[in-house]
Amino acid sequence: MKIRFLITITLLMFYTIAVFGQAKKPTLMVVPSDAWCKQHGYTQNFDNQGTTETVSDYKAAVSSDMQLNAVISKINNLMADRGFPLKDLQQTMKSINNDAAEDALITSKNGSQVAESPLDRLRRRAKADIILEIEWLVNKTGPKSSVTYNLRGLDAYSNKQIAGAEGTGKGSFSAEVPILLEEAVQDHMDMFTQRLQAHFDDMMTNGREVTLVMKLFDNGSGIDFETEYEDYELNEIIDNWLSDNCVNHRFNKSDATESMILYEQVRIPLYKDNGSAMDTYSFARDIARFFRKEPYNIPIKTVNKGLGKCELIFGEK
């Protein structure tokens, strides 16, 4: 009996180790920071619904800067050594460029184009959970060189910083920036990756954080968010749907009027029932399908406002 008991305990231990060893890791992508891109002239202008914004030009950066590619490769290797899968920026940019012509032709029925910045397009294509932003500066002291760096982990959907590492490495006679950077960040990488994993574990448990904005078309339909359906106002019905479909019923109704509702910290599942990734637009489309049916019969236009935000405009498509 004792031998059988010991065998059972041993098998359970091996099973537990195997389960933890197979814990899902977040997918990462390393990009240069906006400050680094601006300093080196890798920027472009983006028309954001009539407002010109300056954004980082990753295509120009990875096509022209060999040092950047070497640094990204070094960070990729450091993360891969710790079991974190990465998407490569250069290869992802190539995929985006192949689809650029098709994206430019996508319009709504009223002529509106896809409301998505170049960075949002990159993140959508990469399907990375976390973006790693890196910037660095080479210091010279006589024959020695050192690197001052700043590495930030950002939630790809909410843009919130979830981990960070910064500092200056020891002086070295080596002039290779990737080697200097590796020496500088090495002592901080374990804590950095632990914070990344903790954030991803929280998303697995509590869902991904996104923003939803509800609006109305001014088309004389008479529908607003105080319209009643069987003693419940439309805004209450939306609340109930979100409560039923958000992870652990978690969402924050930040603002609400008869013509607009703002939901922040909406926790959506990471995956759909079929195992594919859930994003903000897919979640918003589920809401639209619900209200298209009886007894509401309300058409809804879903407008993608970036990776982590979507507008739902009630009344028309």
Side-chain angles (χ1 to χ4, degrees), residues 2-90:
K2 289 184 178 180
I3 294 176
R4 185 179 299 174
F5 176 75
L6 289 173
I7 292 174
T8 302
I9 293 298
T10 302
L11 291 173
L12 286 173
M13 288 176 62
F14 277 116
Y15 174 77
T16 302
I17 292 172
V19 169
F20 280 101
Q22 295 172 1
K24 186 170 179 59
K25 298 284 188 180
T27 301
L28 315 174
M29 170 173 277
V30 182
V31 303
S33 72
D34 290 342
W36 187 94
C37 289
K38 184 176 181 180
Q39 180 185 9
H40 291 80
Y42 299 125
T43 60
Q44 62 176 313
N45 292 327
F46 163 61
D47 183 8
N48 186 7
Q49 297 181 331
T51 302
T52 301
E53 296 183 7
T54 301
V55 297
S56 298
D57 189 346
Y58 298 121
K59 177 184 177 183
V62 297
S63 300
S64 308
D65 201 301
M66 294 181 63
Q67 188 180 91
L68 169 64
N69 290 326
V71 165
I72 290 177
S73 179
K74 179 59 68 175
I75 298 294
N76 284 351
N77 289 335
L78 288 171
M79 299 303 296
D81 289 343
R82 288 161 176 79
F84 286 83
L86 291 105
K87 298 281 187 174
D88 183 72
L89 175 61
Q90 192 170 31

Coordinates of all heavy atoms in Angstrom, one line a residue, residues 2-90:
K2 N 2.0 1.2 0.8 CA 2.8 2.4 0.9 C 3.5 2.7 -0.5 O 3.6 3.8 -0.9 CB 3.9 2.2 2.0 CG 3.3 2.3 3.4 CD 4.4 2.2 4.4 CE 3.9 2.3 5.8 NZ 5.0 2.2 6.8
I3 N 3.9 1.6 -1.1 CA 4.5 1.8 -2.4 C 3.5 2.3 -3.5 O 3.9 3.3 -4.2 CB 5.1 0.4 -2.9 CG1 6.2 -0.1 -2.0 CG2 5.6 0.5 -4.4 CD1 6.8 -1.4 -2.4
R4 N 2.3 1.8 -3.4 CA 1.3 2.3 -4.4 C 1.0 3.8 -4.1 O 0.8 4.6 -5.0 CB 0.0 1.5 -4.2 CG -1.1 1.9 -5.2 CD -2.3 1.0 -5.1 NE -1.9 -0.4 -5.3 CZ -2.8 -1.4 -5.1 NH1 -4.0 -1.2 -4.7 NH2 -2.4 -2.7 -5.4
F5 N 0.9 4.1 -2.8 CA 0.7 5.5 -2.4 C 1.8 6.4 -2.9 O 1.5 7.5 -3.4 CB 0.5 5.6 -0.9 CG 0.4 7.0 -0.3 CD1 -0.9 7.7 -0.4 CD2 1.4 7.7 0.3 CE1 -1.0 8.9 0.0 CE2 1.3 9.0 0.8 CZ 0.0 9.6 0.6
L6 N 3.0 6.0 -2.7 CA 4.2 6.8 -3.1 C 4.2 7.0 -4.6 O 4.5 8.1 -5.2 CB 5.5 6.2 -2.7 CG 5.8 6.2 -1.2 CD1 7.0 5.4 -0.8 CD2 6.0 7.7 -0.7
I7 N 3.8 5.9 -5.4 CA 3.7 6.1 -6.8 C 2.7 7.1 -7.3 O 2.9 7.9 -8.2 CB 3.5 4.7 -7.5 CG1 4.7 3.7 -7.3 CG2 3.1 4.8 -8.9 CD1 4.4 2.3 -7.7
T8 N 1.5 7.0 -6.6 CA 0.4 8.0 -6.9 C 0.9 9.4 -6.6 O 0.6 10.3 -7.5 CB -0.8 7.6 -6.0 OG1 -1.2 6.3 -6.3 CG2 -1.9 8.6 -6.4
I9 N 1.5 9.6 -5.5 CA 2.0 11.0 -5.1 C 3.0 11.5 -6.2 O 3.0 12.6 -6.6 CB 2.6 11.0 -3.7 CG1 1.5 10.8 -2.7 CG2 3.2 12.4 -3.5 CD1 0.4 11.8 -2.7
T10 N 3.9 10.6 -6.6 CA 4.9 11.0 -7.5 C 4.3 11.3 -8.9 O 4.7 12.3 -9.5 CB 5.9 9.8 -7.7 OG1 6.5 9.5 -6.5 CG2 7.0 10.2 -8.7
L11 N 3.3 10.5 -9.3 CA 2.7 10.9 -10.6 C 1.9 12.2 -10.5 O 1.9 13.0 -11.5 CB 1.7 9.7 -10.9 CG 2.3 8.4 -11.3 CD1 1.2 7.3 -11.5 CD2 3.1 8.5 -12.6
L12 N 1.3 12.5 -9.4 CA 0.6 13.7 -9.2 C 1.6 14.9 -9.2 O 1.3 16.0 -9.8 CB -0.2 13.8 -7.9 CG -1.5 12.9 -7.8 CD1 -2.0 12.9 -6.4 CD2 -2.5 13.5 -8.8
M13 N 2.8 14.7 -8.7 CA 3.8 15.8 -8.7 C 4.2 16.1 -10.1 O 4.4 17.2 -10.5 CB 5.0 15.4 -7.8 CG 4.7 15.4 -6.3 SD 6.1 14.8 -5.3 CE 7.3 16.1 -5.7
F14 N 4.5 15.0 -10.9 CA 4.9 15.2 -12.2 C 3.8 15.9 -13.1 O 4.1 16.7 -13.9 CB 5.3 13.8 -12.9 CG 6.7 13.4 -12.6 CD1 6.9 12.2 -11.8 CD2 7.7 14.1 -13.0 CE1 8.2 11.8 -11.5 CE2 9.0 13.7 -12.7 CZ 9.3 12.6 -12.0
Y15 N 2.5 15.5 -12.8 CA 1.4 16.1 -13.5 C 1.3 17.6 -13.2 O 1.2 18.4 -14.1 CB 0.1 15.4 -13.1 CG -1.1 16.1 -13.7 CD1 -1.4 15.9 -15.1 CD2 -1.9 16.9 -13.0 CE1 -2.5 16.5 -15.6 CE2 -3.0 17.5 -13.5 CZ -3.3 17.3 -14.8 OH -4.4 17.9 -15.4
T16 N 1.5 17.9 -11.9 CA 1.4 19.4 -11.5 C 2.5 20.2 -12.1 O 2.3 21.3 -12.6 CB 1.5 19.5 -10.0 OG1 0.5 18.7 -9.4 CG2 1.4 20.9 -9.5
I17 N 3.8 19.6 -12.2 CA 4.9 20.3 -12.8 C 4.6 20.5 -14.3 O 4.9 21.5 -14.8 CB 6.2 19.5 -12.6 CG1 6.6 19.5 -11.1 CG2 7.3 20.1 -13.4 CD1 7.7 18.6 -10.7
A18 N 4.1 19.5 -14.9 CA 3.8 19.6 -16.3 C 2.8 20.7 -16.6 O 2.9 21.4 -17.6 CB 3.3 18.2 -16.9
V19 N 1.7 20.7 -15.8 CA 0.7 21.7 -16.0 C 1.3 23.2 -15.8 O 1.0 24.0 -16.7 CB -0.5 21.5 -15.0 CG1 -1.4 22.7 -15.0 CG2 -1.2 20.3 -15.3
F20 N 2.1 23.4 -14.8 CA 2.6 24.7 -14.6 C 3.7 25.0 -15.7 O 3.8 26.1 -16.1 CB 3.3 24.8 -13.2 CG 2.3 25.1 -12.1 CD1 1.9 24.0 -11.3 CD2 1.8 26.3 -11.9 CE1 0.9 24.3 -10.3 CE2 0.8 26.6 -10.9 CZ 0.4 25.5 -10.1
G21 N 4.4 24.0 -16.2 CA 5.3 24.2 -17.2 C 4.7 24.6 -18.5 O 5.3 25.2 -19.3
Q22 N 3.4 24.2 -18.7 CA 2.7 24.6 -19.9 C 1.8 25.8 -19.8 O 1.0 26.1 -20.6 CB 1.8 23.4 -20.3 CG 2.6 22.1 -20.7 CD 1.7 20.9 -20.9 OE1 0.5 21.0 -20.8 NE2 2.3 19.8 -21.2
A23 N 2.0 26.6 -18.7 CA 1.2 27.8 -18.5 C 1.4 28.7 -19.6 O 2.5 28.9 -20.1 CB 1.7 28.5 -17.2
K24 N 0.3 29.3 -20.1 CA 0.4 30.1 -21.3 C 1.1 31.4 -21.1 O 0.9 32.1 -20.0 CB -1.0 30.4 -21.8 CG -1.1 31.2 -23.1 CD -2.5 31.2 -23.7 CE -2.5 32.0 -25.0 NZ -1.7 31.4 -26.0
K25 N 2.0 31.8 -22.0 CA 2.8 33.0 -21.9 C 2.2 34.0 -22.8 O 1.6 33.7 -23.8 CB 4.2 32.7 -22.3 CG 5.0 31.7 -21.5 CD 5.4 32.3 -20.2 CE 6.3 31.4 -19.4 NZ 6.7 32.0 -18.1
P26 N 2.3 35.3 -22.4 CA 1.8 36.4 -23.3 C 2.7 36.5 -24.5 O 3.9 36.2 -24.5 CB 1.9 37.6 -22.4 CG 3.0 37.3 -21.4 CD 2.9 35.8 -21.2
T27 N 2.1 36.9 -25.6 CA 2.9 37.2 -26.9 C 3.4 38.6 -26.9 O 2.6 39.5 -26.6 CB 2.0 36.9 -28.1 OG1 1.6 35.6 -28.1 CG2 2.8 37.2 -29.4
L28 N 4.6 38.9 -27.2 CA 5.2 40.2 -27.1 C 5.7 40.7 -28.4 O 6.0 39.9 -29.3 CB 6.4 40.1 -26.1 CG 6.3 39.4 -24.8 CD1 7.6 39.4 -24.0 CD2 5.2 40.1 -23.9
M29 N 5.9 42.0 -28.5 CA 6.5 42.6 -29.7 C 7.4 43.8 -29.2 O 6.9 44.6 -28.4 CB 5.5 43.1 -30.7 CG 6.2 43.9 -31.8 SD 5.1 44.4 -33.2 CE 5.2 42.9 -34.1
V30 N 8.6 43.8 -29.7 CA 9.5 44.9 -29.3 C 9.5 46.0 -30.4 O 9.6 45.7 -31.6 CB 11.0 44.4 -29.1 CG1 11.9 45.5 -28.7 CG2 11.0 43.2 -28.2
V31 N 9.3 47.3 -29.9 CA 9.3 48.4 -30.8 C 10.1 49.5 -30.2 O 10.3 49.6 -29.0 CB 7.8 48.9 -31.1 CG1 6.9 47.8 -31.7 CG2 7.2 49.5 -29.9
P32 N 10.7 50.4 -31.1 CA 11.4 51.6 -30.5 C 10.4 52.5 -30.0 O 9.2 52.6 -30.5 CB 12.1 52.1 -31.8 CG 11.3 51.7 -32.9 CD 10.7 50.3 -32.5
S33 N 10.7 53.3 -29.0 CA 9.8 54.2 -28.3 C 9.6 55.4 -29.3 O 10.3 55.7 -30.2 CB 10.4 54.8 -27.0 OG 11.5 55.6 -27.3
D34 N 8.5 56.2 -29.0 CA 8.2 57.3 -29.8 C 9.3 58.4 -29.7 O 9.7 59.0 -30.7 CB 6.9 58.0 -29.3 CG 5.7 57.1 -29.7 OD1 5.8 56.2 -30.6 OD2 4.6 57.3 -29.1
A35 N 9.9 58.5 -28.5 CA 11.0 59.5 -28.3 C 12.2 59.1 -29.1 O 12.8 60.0 -29.8 CB 11.3 59.6 -26.8
W36 N 12.5 57.8 -29.2 CA 13.7 57.4 -30.0 C 13.4 57.6 -31.5 O 14.3 58.1 -32.2 CB 13.9 55.9 -29.7 CG 15.2 55.4 -30.4 CD1 16.4 55.3 -29.8 CD2 15.3 54.9 -31.7 NE1 17.3 54.8 -30.7 CE2 16.7 54.5 -31.9 CE3 14.4 54.7 -32.8 CZ2 17.1 54.0 -33.1 CZ3 14.9 54.2 -34.0 CH2 16.3 53.9 -34.2
C37 N 12.2 57.3 -31.9 CA 11.9 57.5 -33.4 C 11.9 59.0 -33.7 O 12.4 59.4 -34.8 CB 10.5 56.9 -33.7 SG 10.4 55.1 -33.6
K38 N 11.4 59.8 -32.8 CA 11.4 61.3 -33.1 C 12.8 61.8 -33.2 O 13.2 62.6 -34.0 CB 10.6 62.0 -32.0 CG 10.5 63.5 -32.3 CD 9.6 64.2 -31.3 CE 9.4 65.7 -31.5 NZ 8.6 66.3 -30.5
Q39 N 13.7 61.3 -32.2 CA 15.1 61.8 -32.2 C 15.8 61.4 -33.4 O 16.7 62.1 -33.9 CB 15.7 61.2 -30.9 CG 17.2 61.6 -30.8 CD 17.9 60.8 -29.6 OE1 17.3 59.9 -29.0 NE2 19.1 61.3 -29.3
H40 N 15.5 60.2 -34.0 CA 16.2 59.8 -35.2 C 15.5 60.1 -36.5 O 15.9 59.6 -37.6 CB 16.5 58.3 -35.1 CG 17.4 57.9 -34.0 ND1 17.1 57.9 -32.7 CD2 18.8 57.6 -34.0 CE1 18.1 57.5 -31.9 NE2 19.2 57.4 -32.7
G41 N 14.4 60.8 -36.4 CA 13.7 61.3 -37.6 C 12.8 60.2 -38.3 O 12.4 60.4 -39.4
Y42 N 12.4 59.2 -37.5 CA 11.5 58.2 -38.1 C 10.1 58.4 -37.6 O 9.5 57.8 -36.7 CB 11.9 56.8 -37.6 CG 13.3 56.4 -38.0 CD1 14.3 56.0 -37.1 CD2 13.7 56.4 -39.4 CE1 15.6 55.7 -37.5 CE2 15.0 56.1 -39.8 CZ 15.9 55.7 -38.8 OH 17.2 55.3 -39.2
T43 N 9.4 59.4 -38.3 CA 8.1 59.8 -38.0 C 7.3 60.0 -39.3 O 7.9 60.2 -40.3 CB 8.0 61.1 -37.1 OG1 8.6 62.1 -37.8 CG2 8.7 60.9 -35.8
Q44 N 6.0 60.0 -39.2 CA 5.1 60.3 -40.3 C 3.8 60.9 -39.8 O 3.5 60.8 -38.6 CB 4.8 59.0 -41.1 CG 4.0 58.0 -40.3 CD 3.6 56.8 -41.1 OE1 3.1 56.9 -42.2 NE2 3.7 55.6 -40.6
N45 N 3.2 61.7 -40.7 CA 1.9 62.3 -40.3 C 0.7 61.4 -40.6 O 0.7 60.7 -41.6 CB 1.8 63.6 -41.0 CG 2.8 64.7 -40.6 OD1 3.2 64.7 -39.4 ND2 3.2 65.5 -41.5
F46 N -0.2 61.4 -39.7 CA -1.4 60.5 -39.8 C -2.6 61.4 -39.6 O -2.8 62.2 -38.7 CB -1.3 59.5 -38.7 CG -2.6 58.8 -38.4 CD1 -3.3 58.0 -39.4 CD2 -3.2 58.8 -37.2 CE1 -4.5 57.4 -39.1 CE2 -4.4 58.2 -36.9 CZ -5.0 57.4 -37.9
D47 N -3.5 61.3 -40.6 CA -4.8 62.0 -40.6 C -5.8 61.3 -39.7 O -6.4 60.3 -40.2 CB -5.3 62.2 -42.0 CG -6.6 63.1 -42.1 OD1 -7.0 63.6 -41.0 OD2 -7.2 63.1 -43.1
N48 N -6.0 61.8 -38.5 CA -7.0 61.2 -37.6 C -8.3 61.9 -37.6 O -8.5 62.8 -36.8 CB -6.4 61.1 -36.2 CG -7.3 60.4 -35.2 OD1 -8.2 59.8 -35.6 ND2 -6.9 60.4 -33.9
Q49 N -9.1 61.6 -38.6 CA -10.4 62.2 -38.8 C -10.3 63.7 -38.8 O -11.0 64.5 -38.1 CB -11.4 61.8 -37.6 CG -11.6 60.3 -37.6 CD -12.6 59.8 -36.5 OE1 -12.6 60.4 -35.5 NE2 -13.3 58.7 -36.8
G50 N -9.4 64.2 -39.7 CA -9.3 65.7 -39.9 C -8.2 66.3 -39.1 O -7.9 67.5 -39.3
T51 N -7.7 65.6 -38.0 CA -6.6 66.2 -37.2 C -5.3 65.5 -37.6 O -5.2 64.2 -37.5 CB -6.9 66.0 -35.7 OG1 -8.2 66.6 -35.4 CG2 -5.8 66.5 -34.9
T52 N -4.3 66.2 -37.9 CA -3.0 65.7 -38.3 C -2.2 65.3 -37.0 O -2.0 66.2 -36.1 CB -2.2 66.7 -39.1 OG1 -3.0 66.9 -40.3 CG2 -0.9 66.0 -39.5
E53 N -1.8 64.1 -36.9 CA -1.0 63.6 -35.8 C 0.3 63.1 -36.3 O 0.4 62.5 -37.4 CB -1.8 62.5 -35.0 CG -3.0 63.0 -34.3 CD -3.7 61.9 -33.5 OE1 -3.1 60.9 -33.3 OE2 -4.8 62.1 -33.0
T54 N 1.4 63.2 -35.5 CA 2.7 62.7 -35.8 C 2.9 61.4 -35.1 O 2.7 61.3 -33.9 CB 3.8 63.7 -35.5 OG1 3.6 64.9 -36.2 CG2 5.1 63.1 -35.8
V55 N 3.2 60.3 -35.8 CA 3.3 59.0 -35.2 C 4.7 58.4 -35.7 O 5.3 58.9 -36.6 CB 2.2 58.1 -35.6 CG1 0.8 58.6 -35.1 CG2 2.1 57.9 -37.1
S56 N 5.1 57.4 -35.0 CA 6.4 56.8 -35.3 C 6.3 56.0 -36.6 O 5.3 55.3 -36.9 CB 6.8 55.8 -34.1 OG 7.0 56.5 -32.9
D57 N 7.3 56.1 -37.4 CA 7.3 55.4 -38.7 C 8.2 54.2 -38.5 O 9.4 54.2 -38.8 CB 7.9 56.3 -39.8 CG 7.7 55.7 -41.2 OD1 7.5 54.5 -41.3 OD2 7.9 56.5 -42.2
Y58 N 7.6 53.1 -38.1 CA 8.4 51.8 -37.9 C 8.9 51.2 -39.2 O 10.0 50.6 -39.2 CB 7.5 50.8 -37.2 CG 7.0 51.2 -35.8 CD1 5.6 51.3 -35.5 CD2 7.9 51.6 -34.8 CE1 5.2 51.7 -34.3 CE2 7.5 52.0 -33.6 CZ 6.1 52.1 -33.3 OH 5.7 52.5 -32.1
K59 N 8.2 51.4 -40.3 CA 8.6 50.9 -41.5 C 10.0 51.5 -41.9 O 10.9 50.8 -42.3 CB 7.6 51.2 -42.6 CG 8.1 50.7 -44.0 CD 7.0 51.1 -45.1 CE 7.5 50.7 -46.5 NZ 6.6 51.1 -47.5
A60 N 10.1 52.8 -41.8 CA 11.3 53.5 -42.1 C 12.4 53.1 -41.1 O 13.6 52.9 -41.5 CB 11.1 55.0 -42.1
A61 N 12.1 52.9 -39.9 CA 13.1 52.6 -38.9 C 13.7 51.3 -39.1 O 14.9 51.1 -39.1 CB 12.4 52.7 -37.5
V62 N 12.9 50.2 -39.3 CA 13.4 48.9 -39.5 C 14.1 48.7 -40.8 O 14.9 47.8 -41.0 CB 12.4 47.8 -39.2 CG1 11.8 47.9 -37.8 CG2 11.2 47.9 -40.2
S63 N 13.7 49.6 -41.8 CA 14.3 49.4 -43.1 C 15.7 50.1 -43.2 O 16.5 49.8 -44.1 CB 13.4 50.1 -44.2 OG 12.1 49.4 -44.2
S64 N 15.9 51.1 -42.3 CA 17.1 51.9 -42.4 C 18.1 51.8 -41.3 O 19.3 52.1 -41.5 CB 16.7 53.4 -42.5 OG 15.7 53.6 -43.5
D65 N 17.7 51.4 -40.1 CA 18.6 51.4 -38.9 C 19.0 50.0 -38.5 O 18.3 49.3 -37.9 CB 17.8 52.1 -37.8 CG 18.8 52.7 -36.7 OD1 19.6 51.9 -36.2 OD2 18.8 53.9 -36.5
M66 N 20.2 49.7 -38.9 CA 20.7 48.4 -38.5 C 20.9 48.2 -37.0 O 20.8 47.1 -36.5 CB 22.1 48.1 -39.3 CG 21.9 48.1 -40.8 SD 23.5 47.7 -41.6 CE 23.9 46.1 -40.9
Q67 N 21.3 49.3 -36.4 CA 21.5 49.2 -34.9 C 20.2 48.9 -34.2 O 20.1 48.1 -33.3 CB 22.1 50.5 -34.4 CG 22.5 50.5 -32.9 CD 23.0 51.8 -32.4 OE1 22.3 52.7 -31.9 NE2 24.3 52.0 -32.6
L68 N 19.1 49.5 -34.7 CA 17.8 49.2 -34.1 C 17.4 47.8 -34.3 O 17.0 47.1 -33.3 CB 16.7 50.1 -34.8 CG 15.2 49.7 -34.5 CD1 14.9 49.9 -33.0 CD2 14.3 50.5 -35.3
N69 N 17.6 47.2 -35.5 CA 17.3 45.8 -35.7 C 18.1 44.9 -34.8 O 17.7 43.9 -34.3 CB 17.5 45.5 -37.2 CG 16.5 46.1 -38.1 OD1 15.3 46.3 -37.7 ND2 16.9 46.5 -39.2
A70 N 19.4 45.3 -34.6 CA 20.3 44.5 -33.7 C 19.8 44.5 -32.3 O 19.8 43.5 -31.6 CB 21.7 44.9 -33.8
V71 N 19.4 45.7 -31.8 CA 18.9 45.8 -30.5 C 17.6 45.0 -30.3 O 17.4 44.3 -29.3 CB 18.6 47.3 -30.1 CG1 17.8 47.5 -28.9 CG2 20.0 48.0 -30.0
I72 N 16.7 45.1 -31.3 CA 15.4 44.4 -31.2 C 15.7 42.9 -31.1 O 15.1 42.1 -30.3 CB 14.5 44.7 -32.4 CG1 13.9 46.1 -32.2 CG2 13.3 43.7 -32.4 CD1 13.1 46.6 -33.4
S73 N 16.6 42.4 -32.0 CA 17.0 41.0 -32.0 C 17.6 40.6 -30.6 O 17.3 39.5 -30.1 CB 18.1 40.8 -33.1 OG 18.5 39.4 -33.1
K74 N 18.4 41.5 -30.0 CA 18.9 41.1 -28.7 C 17.8 41.0 -27.6 O 17.8 40.1 -26.8 CB 20.0 42.2 -28.3 CG 20.6 41.9 -26.9 CD 21.3 40.6 -26.9 CE 22.5 40.6 -27.8 NZ 23.3 39.3 -27.6
I75 N 16.9 41.9 -27.6 CA 15.8 41.9 -26.7 C 15.0 40.6 -26.9 O 14.5 39.9 -26.0 CB 14.9 43.1 -26.7 CG1 15.8 44.4 -26.3 CG2 13.7 43.0 -25.8 CD1 16.2 44.4 -24.9
N76 N 14.7 40.4 -28.2 CA 14.0 39.1 -28.6 C 14.6 37.9 -28.0 O 13.9 37.0 -27.4 CB 13.9 39.0 -30.1 CG 12.9 39.9 -30.7 OD1 12.1 40.6 -30.0 ND2 12.9 40.0 -32.0
N77 N 15.9 37.8 -28.1 CA 16.7 36.6 -27.6 C 16.6 36.6 -26.1 O 16.4 35.5 -25.5 CB 18.1 36.7 -28.0 CG 18.3 36.4 -29.5 OD1 17.4 35.8 -30.1 ND2 19.4 36.9 -30.1
L78 N 16.7 37.7 -25.4 CA 16.6 37.7 -23.9 C 15.3 37.2 -23.4 O 15.2 36.5 -22.4 CB 16.9 39.1 -23.4 CG 18.4 39.6 -23.5 CD1 18.5 41.1 -23.1 CD2 19.3 38.8 -22.6
M79 N 14.2 37.7 -24.1 CA 12.9 37.3 -23.7 C 12.6 35.8 -24.1 O 12.0 35.1 -23.3 CB 11.8 38.2 -24.4 CG 11.9 39.6 -24.0 SD 11.8 40.0 -22.3 CE 10.2 39.4 -22.0
A80 N 13.1 35.4 -25.3 CA 12.9 34.0 -25.7 C 13.6 33.0 -24.7 O 13.1 31.9 -24.5 CB 13.4 33.8 -27.1
D81 N 14.7 33.4 -24.2 CA 15.5 32.6 -23.3 C 14.6 32.4 -22.0 O 14.9 31.4 -21.3 CB 16.8 33.3 -22.9 CG 17.8 33.2 -24.0 OD1 17.6 32.4 -25.0 OD2 18.8 33.9 -24.0
R82 N 13.7 33.3 -21.7 CA 12.9 33.2 -20.5 C 11.5 32.6 -20.9 O 10.5 32.7 -20.1 CB 12.8 34.5 -19.9 CG 14.1 34.9 -19.2 CD 14.2 36.4 -18.9 NE 15.4 36.7 -18.2 CZ 16.6 36.8 -18.7 NH1 16.8 36.6 -20.0 NH2 17.6 37.1 -18.0
G83 N 11.3 32.1 -22.1 CA 10.1 31.4 -22.5 C 9.0 32.3 -23.0 O 7.8 31.8 -23.0
F84 N 9.3 33.5 -23.4 CA 8.3 34.4 -23.9 C 8.3 34.5 -25.4 O 9.3 34.9 -26.0 CB 8.4 35.8 -23.3 CG 8.1 35.9 -21.8 CD1 9.0 35.5 -20.8 CD2 6.8 36.3 -21.4 CE1 8.6 35.6 -19.5 CE2 6.5 36.4 -20.1 CZ 7.4 36.0 -19.1
P85 N 7.2 34.1 -26.1 CA 7.2 34.2 -27.5 C 7.1 35.6 -28.0 O 6.4 36.4 -27.4 CB 5.9 33.4 -27.9 CG 5.0 33.5 -26.7 CD 6.0 33.5 -25.5
L86 N 7.7 35.9 -29.1 CA 7.7 37.3 -29.6 C 7.3 37.3 -31.1 O 7.6 36.4 -31.8 CB 9.1 37.9 -29.5 CG 9.6 38.2 -28.0 CD1 10.6 37.2 -27.6 CD2 10.1 39.6 -27.9
K87 N 6.7 38.4 -31.5 CA 6.5 38.7 -32.9 C 7.5 39.7 -33.3 O 7.9 40.6 -32.6 CB 5.1 39.4 -33.0 CG 3.9 38.5 -32.6 CD 3.5 37.5 -33.6 CE 2.3 36.8 -33.3 NZ 1.8 35.9 -34.3
D88 N 8.1 39.4 -34.5 CA 9.1 40.3 -35.0 C 8.6 41.5 -35.7 O 7.7 41.4 -36.6 CB 10.0 39.5 -36.0 CG 11.2 40.3 -36.5 OD1 12.1 40.5 -35.7 OD2 11.2 40.7 -37.7
L89 N 9.1 42.7 -35.4 CA 8.6 43.9 -35.9 C 8.8 44.0 -37.4 O 7.9 44.4 -38.1 CB 9.3 45.1 -35.2 CG 8.9 46.5 -35.7 CD1 7.4 46.8 -35.6 CD2 9.8 47.6 -35.0
Q90 N 10.0 43.7 -37.9 CA 10.3 43.8 -39.3 C 9.4 42.9 -40.2 O 8.8 43.4 -41.2 CB 11.7 43.5 -39.6 CG 12.2 43.9 -40.9 CD 13.7 43.7 -41.1 OE1 14.4 42.9 -40.4 NE2 14.3 44.6 -41.9

